[in-house]
Amino acid sequence: MIEQNYGRIVNVSSIAGKDGNPNADHYSAAKAGVIALTKSLGKELAEFDIAVNCITLAAAKT
């Protein structure tokens, strides 16, 4: 992507990485790591026109 000066990266995480989940600290920490990685990569790769985004899913009653 850097050689092409263009690209898109999409990571998948969970809202637990932002808000935390009770009794699931290990899960929340792992998801927070994905979110932090996404932010860091976005800043590093912006100069190469590579967009980095993270989809944070949440539970919903259906």
Side-chain angles (χ1 to χ4, degrees), residues 5 46 49 55:
N5 235 14
D49 199 25
I55 298 170

Side-chain angles (χ1 to χ4, degrees), residues 1-3 5-6 12-13 16 18 23 25-26 31-33 38 40-41 44 50 52 55-56 60:
M1 287 187 215
I2 291 175
E3 291 174 2
N5 235 14
Y6 180 81
V12 180
S13 187
K18 182 176 169 284
N23 302 317
D25 50 340
H26 56 286
K31 299 307 170 182
T38 303
S40 294
L41 283 177
E44 286 182 37
I50 299 173
V52 186
I55 298 170
T56 54

Side-chain angles (χ1 to χ4, degrees), residues 36-61:
L37 173 69
T38 303
K39 290 179 178 183
S40 294
L41 283 177
K43 292 174 184 176
E44 286 182 37
L45 299 175
E47 65 182 288
F48 302 105
D49 199 25
I50 299 173
V52 186
N53 292 294
C54 187
I55 298 170
T56 54
L57 307 172
K61 289 186 179 185

